[in-house]
Amino acid sequence: MAKSIVQNKAKNKYSLFIVILGIFALLLIFGCTTKSPEQIKGTLQGHITIGPLCPVERNPPDPKCQPTAETYLAYPLTVYKVGAGDPGQLTAIDKFVGDKDGNYRIGLPEGSYKISQETGISRYQQEFTIKAGETTTLDIDIDTGIR
């Protein structure tokens, strides 16, 4: 009987050791998978309007004067991260163009940004903020300067 009690105590200690080891392993696995602020992203999306593309606008619009995929490629936009320590510091982090219909969608880490289009006569600039897990909509109007 005494031998049985000793064996049960040994089994209990071993079982407790296995349970503690399992909990430690779970904490280690799940504790190391937390995401840094740079990994937590939000989305910037919108529509880009470019025009006029012809000197005389007509109603209905002339199909030759409608933006194409090449039109959007000619007007790339740059996203700058606004410096946390120095609000005047801008760091270029991404360039993009609209799709064939002028739509765009990009993922960005949470933070403050400035978007800029510097092609052609007119310039476009806009500041915006991205929040993790949220979608920010920013429609962009680019004036080609054609008159």
Side-chain angles (χ1 to χ4, degrees), residues 64-90:
K64 294 182 226 167
C65 296
Q66 296 302 303
T68 63
E70 290 78 24
T71 308
Y72 295 107
L73 286 172
Y75 292 89
L77 292 122
T78 304
V79 177
Y80 296 92
K81 176 84 171 148
V82 177
D86 178 8
Q89 180 184 359
L90 300 175

